Amino acid sequence: MFSLRMMGPYFRPFLWLVLIFEILGSIYGYYWYKDQLSQTPWYLWLFTWDCPFYATLFSIWLFSYLRNSTLHKNNLFTAITWTGLIKYGIWTVIVVQDSYYWGSPVTIDSLGLQISHVVLFIQGLILLSKVHFKNIGIVTTWMLINDYMDYVVGTYPWMLQEQIRMAMWLAIALTVIQYGFMNQFQLKSWWKTNFSMND
């Protein structure tokens, strides 16, 4: 599995560069939501700006990792960050692709949006080596709350009306798939701890 240390002596300067771009990308992400946020009560913003929020969490995690502070060692924080990066990285690319089916034009903005969210997904893959799935109930509950807020309360990102049902079921499916993935890892870890045979 890919490790952050595979780059040897170059990995820390490279990760500082990644952090700078991640912060800039997060700022642009919040800016992208500016029109929707202007029409959304402030207390719902946390459930509105999904992608830049998880990019921000990754920035915080990465800064903690580079500064060798304790936050990046917090399993719950790392697991929530990982889940958001993977889920919304995949979700956004599929929803943008679906918008083309409904007649939206292929633009530089839409292509850039997809590339940036592929990067989110890749960051999630990198972070996977740092996650220990011990809080899957809390993580899954948080993601289900996000799904509820998006498609019952209505904080989902603006999209074509025709896309909403597909986007909702996709979000729920990704939450369930990630739960299954995390549960499998937790069961393997539990089995290895309790039933492994020593020579």
Side-chain angles (χ1 to χ4, degrees):
M1 184 177 293
F2 182 84
S3 170
L4 291 175
R5 296 188 178 277
M6 285 176 64
M7 297 181 64
Y10 303 103
F11 90 103
R12 291 189 70 85
F14 173 76
L15 290 180
W16 278 110
L17 184 62
V18 169
L19 177 60
I20 292 171
F21 280 104
E22 190 74 13
I23 292 172
L24 293 175
S26 298
I27 292 172
Y28 178 77
Y30 293 118
Y31 174 79
W32 189 87
Y33 276 94
K34 67 182 188 307
D35 293 332
Q36 183 171 350
L37 293 176
S38 68
Q39 300 180 35
T40 303
W42 65 268
Y43 51 84
L44 295 178
W45 287 3
L46 178 61
F47 301 100
T48 304
W49 50 32
D50 295 320
C51 299
F53 175 68
Y54 290 102
T56 300
L57 292 187
F58 182 71
S59 297
I60 294 171
W61 185 95
L62 187 55
F63 181 77
S64 171
Y65 178 84
L66 289 168
R67 297 291 295 175
N68 199 29
S69 63
T70 58
L71 183 58
H72 77 281
K73 299 177 182 178
N74 182 288
N75 182 67
L76 180 59
F77 179 79
T78 304
I80 288 177
T81 302
W82 172 82
T83 306
L85 292 172
I86 294 292
K87 176 179 178 177
Y88 292 108
I90 295 173
W91 182 91
T92 301
V93 171
I94 294 176
V95 169
V96 173
Q97 286 289 320
D98 181 67
S99 72
Y100 299 153
Y101 172 81
W102 293 105
S104 294
V106 179
T107 64
I108 293 178
D109 286 343
S110 69
L111 293 175
L113 192 64
Q114 291 177 84
I115 292 171
S116 66
H117 286 80
V118 169
V119 172
L120 279 187
F121 176 77
I122 293 172
Q123 290 169 345
L125 293 180
I126 294 172
L127 198 60
L128 180 59
S129 65
K130 301 295 182 180
V131 182
H132 302 284
F133 297 110
K134 299 178 181 179
N135 307 101
I136 63 174
I138 297 174
V139 174
T140 303
T141 299
W142 170 249
M143 285 298 156
L144 288 173
I145 291 172
N146 274 265
D147 294 339
Y148 175 86
M149 296 299 294
D150 279 347
Y151 300 103
V152 177
V153 177
T155 60
Y156 57 83
W158 285 351
M159 67 185 77
L160 298 174
Q161 188 70 27
E162 296 87 350
Q163 292 187 276
I164 296 174
R165 181 178 295 275
M166 183 280 298
M168 176 186 71
W169 287 114
L170 175 60
I172 294 171
L174 288 171
T175 297
V176 172
I177 290 170
Q178 285 186 300
Y179 170 77
F181 180 85
M182 292 186 290
N183 189 56
Q184 182 184 33
F185 265 73
Q186 188 181 57
L187 286 174
K188 285 184 176 179
S189 177
W190 178 83
W191 182 270
K192 184 177 180 180
T193 300
N194 291 279
F195 295 97
S196 60
M197 297 180 63
N198 298 318
D199 294 330

